[in-house]
Amino acid sequence: MSHFKLIECSGHNFKAHRDLSVKFGDLTKITGDNEEGKSSVLEIPTWTLYGTDTFGGKMDPTPTNYKYDHVLAETLLEVDGKLLKFGRGIEKGKATYYVNDVPGKASDFEEIVKSLIDKDLFLALFNPLYFFSLHWEKQRELMLRYSTPPTQKEVFAEMSRTNSDQKLKDIKLNPQAERLAELVKKHSLPQLEEIHKKNKNDKDTAHKKAQGRTETLEEQLRQLPDVLDDIEAIEAEDAELVKQIKNIHAKIELADEPKRKQAVLEGTLENVRQQIAAAKSRYMKVHGEEIAEECSTCKRPFDEAAKAAAEASKEERKKPLREEHDKLVARRKEIEAELDAVELIDVSDLWEQMRGLEQRRDVTADTIGWYNRRQSLREDLEKARADEAELLASRNDSIFILDAIKAYEAKSAELQAAKVQSMFSELNIKLFKQLKNGEVKPDFVVTRNGKTPAQFSLSESIRAGLEVRDVISQQSDWITPCFIDNKESVTRYKDPRGQLILCQVVEGPLKIETEDSSK
C-alpha cells in the first residue's frame, strides 16, 4: 500500500492569491464566499506537479486583477514516509522548476514527478469528478489497469460449469474449453484467432472450388454410358477376339505370299523379255552386215582370201551374241515355268471373317474404354470428395475454435465485469458489449439508477465519483488526498480513503481549518 499526503502548499501571485499558505490535515475544510479562491487552493498542488488544473487541463495561474513580479506555487508532499517539496513558477515569462528548493530542468522535474505516481491515477484519486471527464476508453483502461483479469484456468472452468454448486476441481472441461486449453499451450488466444480467421476464409474459398470440382466430375460421370459390371467377361471376350483376328491376319499374310511371288516373277519375266529383245537387236545388227568388195581407202578390190577372212570375222562376232540370246531365252522359259507353277489362294472369306470379328471387337473395346474412363472418373471423384470433406472439416474446425474463443471472451468478460461490479454498491459498470455476430467488444458504461453521468445531478456526480475513486484506490493500493468541491450540494456520502478536503460556499472570507484523526 502506498501513501501520498499533502502536508502544505503555498501560492505567490497564484490567481487571486498574492500570498497564500495552506497546511493540510486528515480533514481540511475550505470555506468562503464565491470568488474567494477556494477552488484555486485545490489547483496549487496539481499545477505545481503537472502544470494543469484539477481536471488535467492546461491552465494559466497568472493574476488578472493586480500587478505581480513572478508566480510561484509550492507543494510539500509525504510519499510513503518521505518528504518531497516541489515548486513551479513563472519568471519573466519563463517556467521555473524546483525540487526540494533546488532549481532544475523541466525534464528532470517531470521525470521525478512521474516516478512518484501516474498523473491520471493521481488526478482520479484527488478529484472524484476527474474520472468522468475522460474518454470512455481511458476510463475503462484506468478502471482495469490495476484489476487482475481471471486466469485462463478459471475461465475454462466457468465455461464448462453446469451448475452453480460445482467446485472448480469437480468441473470437467467442455469440448470448447478442452480444445482451447490444449491450443493455448502453443499460441496465445489472439494468435489463435488470427490463425483460424485466416484458415476459415482460406478454406471457405478452397471448399467452394472443391465443390465445383466435385459437381463437374459427377456431371461427367452421369454423361458416360452405362457399363455392365461383369467387365472381366468382356475383357476375356475382347482378348479372345484379338487372338482370333491375329490368327486370321496371319493366314491372310500367308495367302498373300503367292501373289507377291507372282508379282516378282512377272516383273522378272518382263525384264528378261526386254533383255532378249535387246540381245536380238544386237545380233541382227551384226548378222545384217555386208562384206565389202574393195578397200574403202585405195579402192582396190579384195581377193578371195580377204573376203573369206572378213566373213570369218563376222561369224566370230555373231557367236557370243547368239549365245547371250539363247541364255536369255532359256531364262525366260524357266521363269514362265515357275509362273505357271504358282497357285493363288482366295482369301475373301478370311477377310469377311476378320471384318466380322473386328466389328464385334469394336463393341468390346468401346465398352472396356468407357469402363476404364468411368473408373478413372470415379477415382478422381472419390479424391475430390475426400478433398472437399477435408477442407470442410478444417473450415468447421476453425469455426469451432473461433466460436470457442468467442465463448471464452464472453465468459472472461462476464467474470471480469462481475469482479469489478462486486466492488461497487451504487453504480452499475458495463465493461463489454456483445455484437450481433456474438463477438464481445470492449465498452465502458457507468449508470446509477438507470442514469448515465451526463444525466447526474451535481450531488449524484460527487457520490458516483467518490465510489469510483475508492474502487480505483483499493485496486491500485494507493491512498491519496481527495477533495469534494461544492460540498454544500451533497449531504450524504461515504468518506473516502486518505486525506479529505472539503470546499463549501459560505458567506464570508476564505477560511481554512484542519483536523487530524490522531488528535
Side-chain angles (χ1 to χ4, degrees):
M1 182 73 70
S2 296
H3 291 261
F4 187 113
K5 292 183 69 175
L6 278 176
I7 305 300
E8 185 177 355
C9 73
S10 63
H12 175 68
N13 297 326
F14 190 91
K15 288 194 170 182
H17 303 295
R18 288 181 180 274
D19 282 293
L20 175 69
S21 179
V22 178
K23 290 186 178 181
F24 296 92
D26 293 331
L27 173 63
T28 303
K29 297 179 181 179
I30 303 174
T31 58
D33 215 333
N34 291 323
E35 307 298 328
E36 288 295 321
K38 298 184 299 300
S39 297
S40 299
V41 174
L42 304 173
E43 291 173 338
I44 292 175
T46 60
W47 191 79
T48 302
L49 295 174
Y50 304 111
T52 70
D53 60 21
T54 57
F55 285 91
K58 292 292 182 182
M59 63 167 282
D60 181 2
T62 57
T64 59
N65 58 348
Y66 63 87
K67 292 183 179 180
Y68 65 96
D69 51 357
H70 70 280
V71 175
L72 178 64
E74 294 180 309
T75 301
L76 179 63
L77 308 173
E78 181 183 317
V79 181
D80 290 335
K82 182 180 179 181
L83 292 176
L84 288 169
K85 184 179 181 182
F86 293 91
R88 184 190 294 258
I90 301 174
E91 294 185 14
K92 297 179 181 180
K94 293 184 178 180
T96 57
Y97 303 91
Y98 305 88
V99 177
N100 293 328
D101 296 319
V102 179
K105 297 179 180 179
S107 58
D108 294 337
F109 178 92
E110 291 169 357
E111 190 62 33
I112 292 173
V113 172
K114 185 178 180 181
S115 68
L116 295 178
I117 187 172
D118 176 75
K119 175 183 173 181
D120 285 324
L121 175 61
F122 174 75
L123 292 176
L125 297 177
F126 186 56
N127 177 8
L129 299 183
Y130 173 77
F131 182 84
F132 294 116
S133 71
L134 299 173
H135 185 272
W136 74 265
E137 290 179 337
K138 188 65 179 178
Q139 292 178 357
R140 187 179 191 277
E141 185 275 327
L142 190 57
M143 180 62 67
L144 296 181
R145 184 187 301 176
Y146 307 100
S147 174
T148 304
T151 64
Q152 287 184 342
K153 184 177 180 180
E154 182 182 359
V155 177
F156 290 146
E158 293 301 325
M159 285 172 65
S160 309
R161 181 181 291 280
T162 55
N163 64 72
S164 58
D165 297 329
Q166 277 182 299
K167 295 180 180 179
L168 283 179
K169 63 183 181 66
D170 297 329
I171 295 175
K172 182 181 178 182
L173 296 187
N174 65 21
Q176 285 186 330
E178 187 176 22
R179 185 72 186 283
L180 284 184
E182 184 62 30
L183 292 174
V184 294
K185 294 177 181 178
K186 187 175 181 181
H187 296 290
S188 67
L189 284 174
Q191 288 173 333
L192 287 172
E193 188 171 21
E194 287 301 315
I195 290 170
H196 288 282
K197 276 184 178 179
K198 183 178 186 304
N199 185 66
K200 175 189 173 295
N201 293 335
D202 290 347
K203 294 303 186 292
D204 269 338
T205 301
H207 182 250
K208 289 176 182 177
K209 291 181 179 179
Q211 282 181 315
R213 167 74 173 158
T214 301
E215 290 170 359
T216 298
L217 290 171
E218 287 174 341
E219 181 60 27
Q220 291 176 352
L221 194 59
R222 282 193 295 269
Q223 291 177 355
L224 289 178
D226 292 332
V227 178
L228 296 174
D229 293 334
D230 192 6
I231 191 64
E232 292 182 358
I234 295 173
E235 288 175 338
E237 181 184 355
D238 184 76
E240 180 60 29
L241 288 171
V242 169
K243 181 179 177 181
Q244 292 179 21
I245 290 169
K246 285 182 178 180
N247 290 337
I248 293 176
H249 190 269
K251 291 178 181 179
I252 291 174
E253 284 287 323
L254 290 174
D256 283 346
E257 184 60 29
K259 281 188 177 182
R260 287 194 293 271
K261 184 176 181 181
Q262 182 186 51
V264 171
L265 289 173
E266 287 176 347
T268 304
L269 179 60
E270 180 61 26
N271 182 264
V272 170
R273 284 172 176 168
Q274 291 175 1
Q275 292 179 33
I276 290 172
K280 180 179 180 181
S281 177
R282 289 191 294 274
Y283 176 83
M284 293 306 296
K285 183 179 180 181
V286 175
H287 178 74
E289 288 181 358
E290 294 184 1
I291 303 299
E293 295 293 331
E294 58 180 17
C295 177
S296 60
T297 301
C298 65
K299 303 300 183 182
R300 289 177 62 186
F302 290 133
D303 56 17
E304 289 299 323
K307 289 180 178 181
E311 189 67 33
S313 175
K314 178 180 177 181
E315 288 300 322
E316 283 296 321
R317 286 187 292 119
K318 286 169 60 180
K319 183 179 178 180
L321 294 174
R322 186 168 48 250
E323 290 176 354
E324 179 187 14
H325 178 269
D326 291 343
K327 287 180 179 180
L328 288 171
V329 171
R331 175 61 180 151
R332 184 197 67 195
K333 291 177 179 179
E334 290 176 2
I335 294 172
E336 289 175 342
E338 284 187 61
L339 197 56
D340 290 339
V342 172
E343 293 184 5
L344 298 179
I345 301 173
D346 184 5
V347 294
S348 57
D349 290 342
L350 291 176
W351 277 109
E352 188 64 29
Q353 290 179 33
M354 191 165 73
R355 278 192 290 270
L357 292 172
E358 286 176 341
Q359 288 174 354
R360 289 173 58 193
R361 206 255 162 168
D362 286 342
V363 176
T364 58
D366 286 346
T367 302
I368 292 170
W370 290 126
Y371 176 84
N372 290 336
R373 175 63 178 152
R374 290 182 72 89
Q375 287 300 104
S376 178
L377 278 176
R378 282 196 182 103
E379 291 174 3
D380 291 344
L381 180 58
E382 184 177 347
K383 184 179 184 304
R385 285 172 175 166
D387 291 343
E388 182 183 342
E390 183 180 349
L391 290 168
L392 183 61
S394 178
R395 169 186 173 274
N396 289 344
D397 185 57
S398 286
I399 291 175
F400 176 82
I401 293 169
L402 291 172
D403 287 343
I405 292 172
K406 286 180 183 178
Y408 177 95
E409 290 174 343
K411 181 56 68 175
S412 178
E414 179 187 328
L415 293 174
Q416 192 168 16
K419 181 180 179 181
V420 173
Q421 183 62 59
S422 67
M423 304 182 73
F424 290 89
S425 57
E426 295 187 4
L427 298 181
N428 290 312
I429 308 297
K430 182 180 178 183
L431 295 174
F432 301 91
K433 62 181 176 182
Q434 192 165 27
L435 304 182
K436 291 182 179 179
N437 63 0
E439 288 187 30
V440 174
K441 291 293 184 183
D443 196 13
F444 192 78
V445 179
V446 177
T447 58
R448 184 177 185 273
N449 296 327
K451 294 193 291 185
T452 64
Q455 300 168 318
F456 290 169
S457 66
L458 180 57
S459 63
E460 288 175 321
S461 294
I462 292 172
R463 284 198 295 269
L466 287 171
E467 186 170 8
V468 169
R469 183 259 179 208
D470 268 6
V471 168
I472 294 175
S473 175
Q474 292 174 39
Q475 289 181 316
S476 65
D477 276 343
W478 267 101
I479 295 179
T480 70
C482 173
F483 73 82
I484 299 176
D485 203 2
N486 297 300
K487 193 270 177 188
E488 69 278 1
S489 65
V490 58
T491 58
R492 179 176 55 84
Y493 59 86
K494 179 183 176 182
D495 286 341
R497 302 200 312 169
Q499 292 173 286
L500 177 60
I501 304 168
L502 301 177
C503 288
Q504 184 173 354
V505 176
V506 298
E507 188 176 353
L510 178 68
K511 182 179 180 181
I512 300 175
E513 300 174 290
T514 62
E515 296 179 11
D516 287 324
S517 59
S518 59
K519 292 182 180 180

